[in-house]
Structures are given as structure tokens and as C-alpha cells.
């Protein structure tokens, strides 16, 4: 089969690779129907994370089951399935608590920008749809496997409630966070964005206000819009020290920040967090917990997070997908084998 | 009048001071019935916080109203009142959200180890009891003004729920946290303590398990007691880097740490917090929010946080109170003018 391999910053190649095989009785192999490039893939692509030896890339996927191991009975060959970037057995203590992204047998997916993918813990990770979905739903279901699930978690971690005010960014996860905040009943959704196309999508998803200022000016604008005290909920979907600082200062005392961008060189000062009285929760989203609900919301047309894909490429042009996103010419690139 | 003044680490004196006066129409002056020494008073006493010029000390108090400013109508001279270490107008946006300790007009109390005290924002800060309470209730009501209110907040910030497992320390606030966890329905309450008298009090307050190990060994013991994953709720009532580290590592993925000790040189690593999936909320407790409820629990005999005072001294021996607590010969010293 063929798949993406990263060699160095800026150097992603599409190559012949060994076909994945069932290694454990809990594995499945799927034929990829759609995959994509994640904002977090850009960290190594930009040289902000070590790459080491050349290795495959990608952790977002929907596909059709090709083969399953002996212990996989929830799904069977031929079914269309949605999974998560973090696999889970769905039976350990953390899974039973609803924190499947901290499953005691978790493996992070990392080979999904390819024709076929081996899914560890397939039994507890994959959720099959009723029949094969119409092609129009595929982007939305693909989004559910990561960015929409992550935006949903960010909104829950930020404790978005009916009537509350939420602040979000304009990346793919942030835009899905707008959807989540809207679905969870936020009355006011403030999108931080200076890109016209992203502003438009944020408004379409339910944003009520757009702020184009950043940093201290952005914080001041949020305060202006929230009676001087800050927002109830802030979704931090980037992972830089500056984005975390902006998030913490945009939330009101007693408010919450949900942070879902993997933090890169972020230190939170204990005394500052203390006096802010802001609640902080982050992490890899427990997407598996939300899959049945989010799949249903997509297939009933209630939400359409597939709109965050503003570029569709054949899988063999995966390098172009990275490049376009790196240059911020696309929000998110969908790849079709 | 007379009151405590700190001059330097280890040097607290009891001196003649000017009588407090009404300075604002929102002020009251109370005659102190009981005050005490706080764990946080030990930071400057131990030289861990700058002292600057000699200044009065103390932020915990119950007393009888002597005089009120023109805008204070909730309480009147002669009433017995309980307040909070953080004053609040109880009308600003943060107060209305229940975060009175972030009141936009907040002033921290700092002159309470004295015969008389001026209370700013008295209207929104003081709560009067029905009549003067029996002397037996005074220690409990005094505890409510800080340590019990703070333990209560720590338990709420750590999201203690019926049936959950909570971990607490054995300081005065930690012991009040045991009471709070018990009242909020925790099924298992693990007290970290190596002092026999404190262990005994923790058990009396509702602790189900005692762990005398600290650091990594303490964390391992918590994991042993919680099926290997950690506790639902951890109350961090100290404020050191080590206590915060121990708290974060003792909580399970999806669990919560409530931190109420003012952090001293504590940095939380963003990536570590991210992958822990632990929720973190701290701050000065919004005691005013809890006062009516906690006063009621004390006066009905449902809780008796006054037991954390294992030493009672005349106010003029305040220096001895500091010394005894510094040497950990007492959990908490009550001072009677």
C-alpha cells in the first residue's frame, strides 16, 4: 500500500509501505475511506517537535473494516467505522469512568495517512455506522474522529452550559468548538479570528461575536463584551504559551478553560492561576465517549463539522496538504485514497 | 487597643495600636470575640514571604458589632457576626456569580489579631447569627471564617461528589476538608498524615484511610487504594511545589485537584497537566457564599470544625501561638482577647 512518511521538517513523502497486518487478536485492519492532516501534524512539520527516524503520519480516519482479530466482535469486515486518534479497550477503569483517552491500554494512532490502517484495541475503539453513509457525510464523520470530538471535549472541559458565554479560536478544532458551544446551549459565542473565511464559518456555526484583536488587546475586547469580568468558558485549542496566557486571562473568576492543543513549552504559574480562580482542564479528548452521540448528530444533519475541510486532495498529494495548511491557505485538508 | 504586629521572621509582638475607626460608609468596626493564627501567617513568620515595614497580622475573626457606617444595614451594633478573610460587596458581577473572594471591591483582611477590627465592605461581608451563640460554638464559627470555608471550597473545587474518593492533608484546612468531603458524600476519604493526634482527628471527622507516606511513596499508596488509577478528588491545602506535584499525581484521569494553599514558587507544566487530564481549580475561597450554610451546620451541631483548635491562648500571648504552630506543636491556635 501507499502512505505518508515524514523525513524532516517540510519533507513529507508519499511512499510504498508494507500492508498492515493483524498483530493482536484485538486488532482490526481498515481500508481508509478518508483521512486528513491535523494541526498537531504541523508541529513536527515546522520543526517544533523532534522527528527522529522517518516515520508514517496521521491519526484521523474513517474507513471500511477489512479484517479483524479473534477478539474483535463489535465490528466486522465490510462495516463503515469511525474511530479515535487514541485507541481504548473501553473496559479498563479509566474507560469506564469515561476517560478512554487515558485507557490503560491506550495506543495513539500514527499511521493513518495511508491506504490501509491497523487499529489496535479495535473492539473498544471503533464504532460502526448503520450501513455505509452517503458520501456527503464522510467529511463530518472524519471530523468526529478528532477535531469535532476534541472541540466537544474542549467545550465540556470549559464547562459550557446553557446561557453561558464562550470564547473560541478559529482553527479547525476551535471552529468545531463553536459547534459544540452552540449545541451545549451557549448564549454568546465569541470567536477570535482575523481571517475572513474563518470568521464566516464561525458565524455559520453559531458564533455571535468576532474579535480580530489578539494578545492583551484581544483579552481587553473579551472583557468589554463580558461586563468587564471575562467569559464563563474559554476553549484553548492551540497549545502555545501565548494562547494559554490569553485563554486564562479571558476567563472570569470561577470560569473555566478547556485546553486541547498539546502544550508546547507552557508553564502555568501557580499563584497566578490561584488568584484567577479559573478552572483548568485539558488533555487528549476522550472521543470514544462521544462517538455514538456525535455520529448521530452528523448523520441526522444536526451538525456539519465536515465544513472545516476547505481543501480536498487525493491521498497521494498529502505533501501538498501539509504545505497548504502550513502556509495557512487552508483550515484543514481532507485526503482521499 | 492592642494587637499583633510582625517585625521580622520569628518576631511577632503584641502592642498598643490606634483604635480602628469607620473610614467608609460601608465599614463596620467589631469587637473581636475570637481570632487565630493561620497556616498562611507562617509564610512571613518563617521568612518565606517578604515582610517589609512592621505591620499588623490576622485575617480570621468572629466578633460583636460596635459601630457601622451609614450604608451598612444588614448588621447592627450588638450583633454577633462571622465574616471572611476576603471582604466583598456581595453585589458586583463576581459576587453575583458566587465568587465573592474575587469581588471587584475586595479587600483582604490583615489586622484581625487585635481587640477591635475595621471590616471594609461590611454590608456584603458580615453575617449575623440569631442571638449570641453559646461559647461552645465560637471556635466552630471562627473556623468557618477561614479554614472551614476554605476546606469546603477545596472540596467543591475538587468536585467531591457522593460516592467519590477524596484525598486530603492533615493541616487545619485539610482537616476541615475531611469534614467537607464527608458532608458532600465522599465514600472514601484518605488522609495523608504522620501525626498521631491529627490522624485521630481526621478519623473522627470522617477519614476512612490514613497514609503516612509522602512524595512518590504517598502517591503509590493512593494508587494502591484506588484500583491503580488515582483518586477522584484531591484537596491541596499547602501551596508548595511538592504538595502540588503530589496532588496532581494522586488524582485519576478525569479527576480534580482543588488547591487552596497560596502557591509559593509553584509552576505547573502544561504538557504534564494535559496528559494527566486532571482538572485544577484554586484560589481564595469564596467563604461568603458558604457562610449561611456553614454557620447553620455549626450551630445545629452537624459539624464541629472548632476541634482543629488544639491550643487556646489569651490574645496577648499571640507570639506564643505563632511559635507553637511554627514548631508544629499545635494544629491551630485560637486567641481570645
Amino acid at each position: 500500500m501507499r502512505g505518508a512518511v515524514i523525513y524532516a521538517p517540510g519533507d513529507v513523502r508519499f511512499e510504498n509501505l508494507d500492508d498492515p497486518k493483524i498483530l493482536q487478536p484485538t486488532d482490526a485492519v481498515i481500508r481508509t475511506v478518508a483521512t486528513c492532516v491535523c494541526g498537531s501534524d504541523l508541529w513536527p512539520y515546522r520543526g517544533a517537535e523532534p522527528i527522529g527516524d522517518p516515520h508514517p503520519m496521521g491519526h484521523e480516519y474513517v474507513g471500511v473494516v477489512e479484517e479483524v482479530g479473534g477478539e474483535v466482535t463489535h465490528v466486522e469486515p465490510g462495516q463503515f467505522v469511525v474511530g479515535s486518534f487514541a485507541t481504548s479497550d473501553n473496559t479498563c477503569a479509566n474507560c469506564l469512568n469515561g476517560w478512554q483517552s487515558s485507557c490503560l491500554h491506550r495506543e495513539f494512532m500514527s499511521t493513518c495517512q495511508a491506504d490501509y490502517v491497523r487499529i489496535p484495541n479495535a473492539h473498544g475503539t471503533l464504532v460502526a455506522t448503520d450501513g455505509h453513509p452517503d458520501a456527503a457525510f464522510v467529511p463530518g464523520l472524519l471530523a468526529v474522529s478528532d477535531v469535532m470530538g476534541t472541540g466537544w471535549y474542549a467545550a465540556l472541559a470549559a464547562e459550557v452550559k446553557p446561557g453561558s458565554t464562550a470564547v473560541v479560536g478559529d482553527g479547525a478544532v476551535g471552529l468545531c468548538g463553536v459547534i459544540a458551544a452552540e449545541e451545549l446551549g451557549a448564549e454568546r459565542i465569541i470567536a477570535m479570528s482575523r481571517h475572513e473565511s474563518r470568521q464566516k464559518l464561525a458565524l455559520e456555526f453559531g458564533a455571535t461575536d468576532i474579535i480580530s484583536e489578539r494578545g492583551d488587546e484581544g483579552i481587553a475586547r473579551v472583557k468589554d463584551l463580558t461586563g468587564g469580568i471575562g467569559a464563563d468558558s474559554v476553549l484553548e485549542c492551540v497549545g502555545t504559551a501565548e494562547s494559554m496566557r490569553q485563554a486564562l486571562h479571558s476567563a472570569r473568576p470561577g470560569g473555566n478553560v478547556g485546553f486541547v492543543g498539546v502544550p508546547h513549552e507552557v508553564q502555568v504559574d501557580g499563584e497566578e492561576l490561584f488568584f484567577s480562580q479559573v478552572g483548568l482542564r485539558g488533555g487528549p479528548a476522550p472521543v470514544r465517549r462521544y462517538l455514538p452521540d456525535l455520529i448521530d448528530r452528523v448523520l441526522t444533519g444536526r451538525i456539519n463539522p465536515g465544513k472545516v475541510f476547505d481543501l480536498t486532495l487525493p491521498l497521494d498529494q498529502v505533501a501538498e496538504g501539509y504545505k497548504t495548511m502550513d502556509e495557512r491557505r487552508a483550515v484543514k485538508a481532507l485526503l482521499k485514497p
Side-chain angles (χ1 to χ4, degrees), chain A:
Chain A
M1 70 159 190
R2 304 162 311 156
V5 176
I6 190 164
Y7 279 77
D11 184 5
V12 170
R13 304 179 197 173
F14 193 65
E15 299 190 335
N16 289 318
L17 299 168
D18 290 338
D19 287 340
K21 289 188 169 51
I22 300 288
L23 302 179
Q24 302 287 337
T26 46
D27 287 351
V29 170
I30 68 167
R31 173 174 59 79
T32 310
V33 171
T35 180
C36 49
V37 182
C38 184
S40 65
D41 293 333
L42 296 180
W43 290 104
Y45 186 81
R46 288 171 171 162
E49 260 179 22
I51 291 170
D53 290 332
H55 57 80
M57 289 289 286
H59 52 266
E60 298 156 289
Y61 57 97
V62 291
V64 173
V65 179
E66 284 280 313
E67 192 183 353
V68 295
E71 294 179 18
V72 179
T73 56
H74 278 182
V75 295
E76 57 190 43
Q79 284 185 313
F80 185 96
V81 289
V82 186
S84 162
F85 61 89
T87 70
S88 51
D89 61 22
N90 222 18
T91 58
C92 80
N94 288 330
C95 285
L96 294 178
N97 281 330
W99 294 86
Q100 289 93 339
S101 46
S102 284
C103 172
L104 297 175
H105 296 105
R106 174 186 69 193
E107 292 185 39
F108 283 114
M109 297 299 300
S110 61
T111 65
C112 299
Q113 289 158 0
D115 292 323
Y116 294 88
V117 184
R118 182 178 76 89
I119 313 287
N121 295 309
H123 194 76
T125 301
L126 298 176
V127 173
T129 55
D130 288 338
H132 282 225
D134 190 274
F137 291 120
V138 167
L141 295 170
L142 176 63
V144 163
S145 81
D146 185 349
V147 283
M148 185 64 231
T150 297
W152 195 260
Y153 171 61
L156 289 175
E159 298 191 13
V160 173
K161 292 184 176 74
S164 64
T165 295
V167 175
V168 294
D170 72 353
V173 176
L175 290 165
C176 289
V178 174
I179 295 175
E182 166 80 5
E183 290 289 295
L184 293 168
E187 188 174 292
R188 190 162 202 175
I189 301 172
I190 302 168
M192 312 289 286
S193 177
R194 47 178 56 182
H195 302 271
E196 197 181 329
S197 61
R198 295 172 187 230
Q199 293 175 351
K200 203 175 149 192
L201 196 51
L203 292 169
E204 188 181 333
F205 283 163
T208 55
D209 301 84
I210 301 284
I211 291 179
S212 57
E213 292 86 347
R214 291 184 186 176
D216 288 336
E217 286 184 12
I219 294 164
R221 289 280 294 129
V222 171
K223 294 272 172 80
D224 284 347
L225 293 173
T226 54
I229 62 169
D232 303 311
S233 300
V234 181
L235 286 61
E236 201 294 272
C237 311
V238 180
T240 63
E242 176 54 24
S243 61
M244 179 64 93
R245 195 187 77 83
Q246 186 173 313
L248 287 172
H249 286 264
S250 297
R252 67 164 172 84
N256 292 277
V257 170
F259 68 108
V260 294
V262 182
H264 285 67
E265 296 176 17
V266 174
Q267 295 291 321
V268 178
D269 182 73
E271 189 175 354
E272 195 176 314
L273 186 64
F274 181 88
F275 284 105
S276 77
Q277 302 203 296
V278 171
L280 185 58
R281 185 194 300 283
V287 173
R288 178 63 184 83
R289 193 204 314 174
Y290 317 132
L291 276 184
D293 177 35
L294 292 179
I295 290 171
D296 184 65
R297 288 178 198 249
V298 167
L299 292 178
T300 57
R302 187 171 167 89
I303 62 174
N304 189 0
K307 288 190 177 176
V308 298
F309 296 106
D310 53 352
L311 176 68
T312 298
L313 295 169
L315 178 57
D316 60 12
Q317 290 182 37
V318 56
E320 178 63 18
Y322 276 79
K323 189 163 187 289
T324 312
M325 283 175 61
D326 176 41
E327 294 168 358
R328 290 183 73 86
R329 288 185 285 118
V331 175
K332 194 166 177 73
L334 185 145
L335 305 166
K336 289 175 101 160

